[in-house]
PDB file of all heavy atoms in Angstrom:
ATOM      1  N   PRO A 935       4.013  -7.825  32.372  1.00 98.00           N
ATOM      2  CA  PRO A 935       4.380  -8.774  33.466  1.00 98.00           C
ATOM      3  C   PRO A 935       5.435  -8.126  34.341  1.00 98.00           C
ATOM      4  O   PRO A 935       5.427  -8.504  35.564  1.00 98.00           O
ATOM      5  CB  PRO A 935       4.998  -9.929  32.621  1.00 98.00           C
ATOM      6  CG  PRO A 935       4.253  -9.834  31.326  1.00 98.00           C
ATOM      7  CD  PRO A 935       4.032  -8.368  31.033  1.00 98.00           C
ATOM      8  N   LEU A 936       6.348  -7.368  33.868  1.00 98.00           N
ATOM      9  CA  LEU A 936       7.316  -6.757  34.750  1.00 98.00           C
ATOM     10  C   LEU A 936       6.680  -5.803  35.646  1.00 98.00           C
ATOM     11  O   LEU A 936       7.031  -5.694  36.831  1.00 98.00           O
ATOM     12  CB  LEU A 936       8.416  -5.983  33.803  1.00 98.00           C
ATOM     13  CG  LEU A 936       9.546  -5.202  34.533  1.00 98.00           C
ATOM     14  CD1 LEU A 936      10.299  -6.136  35.479  1.00 98.00           C
ATOM     15  CD2 LEU A 936      10.462  -4.548  33.480  1.00 98.00           C
ATOM     16  N   TYR A 937       5.779  -4.951  35.143  1.00 98.00           N
ATOM     17  CA  TYR A 937       5.079  -4.039  36.051  1.00 98.00           C
ATOM     18  C   TYR A 937       4.339  -4.810  37.110  1.00 98.00           C
ATOM     19  O   TYR A 937       4.343  -4.439  38.377  1.00 98.00           O
ATOM     20  CB  TYR A 937       4.054  -3.068  35.271  1.00 98.00           C
ATOM     21  CG  TYR A 937       3.328  -2.230  36.230  1.00 98.00           C
ATOM     22  CD1 TYR A 937       3.901  -1.098  36.799  1.00 98.00           C
ATOM     23  CD2 TYR A 937       1.978  -2.562  36.692  1.00 98.00           C
ATOM     24  CE1 TYR A 937       3.201  -0.311  37.797  1.00 98.00           C
ATOM     25  CE2 TYR A 937       1.400  -1.750  37.575  1.00 98.00           C
ATOM     26  CZ  TYR A 937       1.924  -0.682  38.150  1.00 98.00           C
ATOM     27  OH  TYR A 937       1.347   0.161  39.056  1.00 98.00           O
ATOM     28  N   ALA A 939       4.817  -7.642  38.484  1.00 98.00           N
ATOM     29  CA  ALA A 939       5.661  -8.225  39.438  1.00 98.00           C
ATOM     30  C   ALA A 939       6.101  -7.074  40.415  1.00 98.00           C
ATOM     31  O   ALA A 939       6.312  -7.318  41.674  1.00 98.00           O
ATOM     32  CB  ALA A 939       6.893  -8.789  38.780  1.00 98.00           C
ATOM     33  N   ILE A1136      20.822  -5.556  42.324  1.00 95.00           N
ATOM     34  CA  ILE A1136      19.403  -5.488  42.438  1.00 95.00           C
ATOM     35  C   ILE A1136      18.972  -4.180  43.001  1.00 95.00           C
ATOM     36  O   ILE A1136      17.973  -3.663  42.571  1.00 95.00           O
ATOM     37  CB  ILE A1136      18.983  -6.725  43.467  1.00 95.00           C
ATOM     38  CG1 ILE A1136      19.248  -7.999  42.702  1.00 95.00           C
ATOM     39  CG2 ILE A1136      17.529  -6.613  43.805  1.00 95.00           C
ATOM     40  CD1 ILE A1136      18.529  -8.257  41.361  1.00 95.00           C
ATOM     41  N   LEU A1139      19.065  -1.577  40.275  1.00 96.00           N
ATOM     42  CA  LEU A1139      17.948  -1.748  39.305  1.00 96.00           C
ATOM     43  C   LEU A1139      16.603  -1.533  39.912  1.00 96.00           C
ATOM     44  O   LEU A1139      15.698  -0.914  39.178  1.00 96.00           O
ATOM     45  CB  LEU A1139      17.949  -3.251  38.825  1.00 96.00           C
ATOM     46  CG  LEU A1139      19.137  -3.676  37.859  1.00 96.00           C
ATOM     47  CD1 LEU A1139      19.078  -5.130  37.532  1.00 96.00           C
ATOM     48  CD2 LEU A1139      19.125  -2.833  36.554  1.00 96.00           C
ATOM     49  N   LEU A1285      13.052  -4.639  29.030  1.00 98.00           N
ATOM     50  CA  LEU A1285      12.958  -5.960  29.713  1.00 98.00           C
ATOM     51  C   LEU A1285      14.351  -6.566  29.827  1.00 98.00           C
ATOM     52  O   LEU A1285      14.732  -7.119  30.955  1.00 98.00           O
ATOM     53  CB  LEU A1285      12.097  -6.868  28.896  1.00 98.00           C
ATOM     54  CG  LEU A1285      10.540  -6.494  28.790  1.00 98.00           C
ATOM     55  CD1 LEU A1285       9.766  -7.462  28.009  1.00 98.00           C
ATOM     56  CD2 LEU A1285       9.895  -6.160  30.127  1.00 98.00           C
ATOM     57  N   PHE A1288      16.167  -4.763  32.778  1.00 98.00           N
ATOM     58  CA  PHE A1288      15.694  -5.206  34.121  1.00 98.00           C
ATOM     59  C   PHE A1288      15.628  -6.720  34.385  1.00 98.00           C
ATOM     60  O   PHE A1288      15.039  -7.107  35.310  1.00 98.00           O
ATOM     61  CB  PHE A1288      14.405  -4.536  34.320  1.00 98.00           C
ATOM     62  CG  PHE A1288      14.467  -3.015  34.553  1.00 98.00           C
ATOM     63  CD1 PHE A1288      13.894  -2.148  33.695  1.00 98.00           C
ATOM     64  CD2 PHE A1288      15.143  -2.445  35.675  1.00 98.00           C
ATOM     65  CE1 PHE A1288      13.929  -0.747  33.899  1.00 98.00           C
ATOM     66  CE2 PHE A1288      15.183  -1.122  35.942  1.00 98.00           C
ATOM     67  CZ  PHE A1288      14.600  -0.229  34.978  1.00 98.00           C
ATOM     68  N   ALA A1289      16.105  -7.471  33.419  1.00 97.00           N
ATOM     69  CA  ALA A1289      16.016  -8.908  33.506  1.00 97.00           C
ATOM     70  C   ALA A1289      16.418  -9.448  34.863  1.00 97.00           C
ATOM     71  O   ALA A1289      15.746 -10.275  35.530  1.00 97.00           O
ATOM     72  CB  ALA A1289      16.772  -9.645  32.309  1.00 97.00           C
ATOM     73  N   PRO A1290      17.583  -9.045  35.427  1.00 97.00           N
ATOM     74  CA  PRO A1290      18.017  -9.671  36.726  1.00 97.00           C
ATOM     75  C   PRO A1290      16.924  -9.214  37.825  1.00 97.00           C
ATOM     76  O   PRO A1290      16.682 -10.050  38.735  1.00 97.00           O
ATOM     77  CB  PRO A1290      19.384  -8.970  36.971  1.00 97.00           C
ATOM     78  CG  PRO A1290      19.843  -8.482  35.659  1.00 97.00           C
ATOM     79  CD  PRO A1290      18.589  -8.181  34.851  1.00 97.00           C
ATOM     80  N   LEU A1291      16.397  -8.086  37.692  1.00 97.00           N
ATOM     81  CA  LEU A1291      15.450  -7.682  38.733  1.00 97.00           C
ATOM     82  C   LEU A1291      14.144  -8.521  38.628  1.00 97.00           C
ATOM     83  O   LEU A1291      13.531  -8.856  39.612  1.00 97.00           O
ATOM     84  CB  LEU A1291      15.151  -6.165  38.550  1.00 97.00           C
ATOM     85  CG  LEU A1291      14.102  -5.650  39.674  1.00 97.00           C
ATOM     86  CD1 LEU A1291      14.703  -5.599  40.983  1.00 97.00           C
ATOM     87  CD2 LEU A1291      13.572  -4.273  39.200  1.00 97.00           C
ATOM     88  N   LYS A1292      13.735  -8.754  37.402  1.00 98.00           N
ATOM     89  CA  LYS A1292      12.545  -9.474  37.143  1.00 98.00           C
ATOM     90  C   LYS A1292      12.702 -10.839  37.798  1.00 98.00           C
ATOM     91  O   LYS A1292      11.743 -11.415  38.454  1.00 98.00           O
ATOM     92  CB  LYS A1292      12.263  -9.613  35.647  1.00 98.00           C
ATOM     93  CG  LYS A1292      11.079 -10.572  35.253  1.00 98.00           C
ATOM     94  CD  LYS A1292       9.733  -9.904  35.791  1.00 98.00           C
ATOM     95  CE  LYS A1292       8.433 -10.467  35.161  1.00 98.00           C
ATOM     96  NZ  LYS A1292       8.310 -11.916  35.247  1.00 98.00           N
ATOM     97  N   ALA A1293      13.784 -11.573  37.562  1.00 98.00           N
ATOM     98  CA  ALA A1293      14.027 -12.863  38.147  1.00 98.00           C
ATOM     99  C   ALA A1293      13.995 -12.747  39.675  1.00 98.00           C
ATOM    100  O   ALA A1293      13.373 -13.575  40.363  1.00 98.00           O
ATOM    101  CB  ALA A1293      15.348 -13.429  37.714  1.00 98.00           C
ATOM    102  N   TRP A1294      14.559 -11.665  40.239  1.00 97.00           N
ATOM    103  CA  TRP A1294      14.568 -11.481  41.665  1.00 97.00           C
ATOM    104  C   TRP A1294      13.190 -11.324  42.204  1.00 97.00           C
ATOM    105  O   TRP A1294      12.739 -11.824  43.216  1.00 97.00           O
ATOM    106  CB  TRP A1294      15.559 -10.331  41.996  1.00 97.00           C
ATOM    107  CG  TRP A1294      15.671 -10.087  43.462  1.00 97.00           C
ATOM    108  CD1 TRP A1294      16.604 -10.638  44.284  1.00 97.00           C
ATOM    109  CD2 TRP A1294      14.900  -9.192  44.259  1.00 97.00           C
ATOM    110  NE1 TRP A1294      16.475 -10.072  45.544  1.00 97.00           N
ATOM    111  CE2 TRP A1294      15.456  -9.183  45.615  1.00 97.00           C
ATOM    112  CE3 TRP A1294      13.841  -8.300  44.022  1.00 97.00           C
ATOM    113  CZ2 TRP A1294      14.957  -8.474  46.633  1.00 97.00           C
ATOM    114  CZ3 TRP A1294      13.378  -7.544  45.057  1.00 97.00           C
ATOM    115  CH2 TRP A1294      13.933  -7.651  46.366  1.00 97.00           C
ATOM    116  N   LEU A1295      12.365 -10.449  41.467  1.00 98.00           N
ATOM    117  CA  LEU A1295      10.975 -10.137  41.873  1.00 98.00           C
ATOM    118  C   LEU A1295      10.147 -11.448  41.909  1.00 98.00           C
ATOM    119  O   LEU A1295       9.324 -11.676  42.855  1.00 98.00           O
ATOM    120  CB  LEU A1295      10.364  -9.101  40.986  1.00 98.00           C
ATOM    121  CG  LEU A1295      10.750  -7.751  41.242  1.00 98.00           C
ATOM    122  CD1 LEU A1295      10.280  -6.819  40.038  1.00 98.00           C
ATOM    123  CD2 LEU A1295      10.246  -7.146  42.540  1.00 98.00           C
ATOM    124  N   ASP A1296      10.302 -12.196  40.894  1.00 98.00           N
ATOM    125  CA  ASP A1296       9.582 -13.410  40.766  1.00 98.00           C
ATOM    126  C   ASP A1296       9.845 -14.309  42.006  1.00 98.00           C
ATOM    127  O   ASP A1296       8.955 -14.945  42.451  1.00 98.00           O
ATOM    128  CB  ASP A1296       9.878 -14.172  39.464  1.00 98.00           C
ATOM    129  CG  ASP A1296       9.233 -13.504  38.186  1.00 98.00           C
ATOM    130  OD1 ASP A1296       8.325 -12.502  38.497  1.00 98.00           O
ATOM    131  OD2 ASP A1296       9.586 -13.724  37.112  1.00 98.00           O
ATOM    132  N   GLU A1297      11.047 -14.374  42.384  1.00 98.00           N
ATOM    133  CA  GLU A1297      11.479 -15.117  43.537  1.00 98.00           C
ATOM    134  C   GLU A1297      10.841 -14.607  44.764  1.00 98.00           C
ATOM    135  O   GLU A1297      10.209 -15.386  45.528  1.00 98.00           O
ATOM    136  CB  GLU A1297      12.984 -14.992  43.626  1.00 98.00           C
ATOM    137  CG  GLU A1297      13.686 -15.969  44.566  1.00 98.00           C
ATOM    138  CD  GLU A1297      13.662 -17.446  44.209  1.00 98.00           C
ATOM    139  OE1 GLU A1297      13.487 -17.729  42.977  1.00 98.00           O
ATOM    140  OE2 GLU A1297      13.478 -18.125  45.164  1.00 98.00           O
TER     141      GLU A1297
END
Side-chain angles (χ1 to χ4, degrees):
L936 176 58
Y937 176 78
I1136 292 301
L1139 287 176
L1285 299 181
F1288 289 112
L1291 180 71
K1292 175 67 164 57
W1294 183 87
L1295 283 170
D1296 288 346
E1297 190 65 31

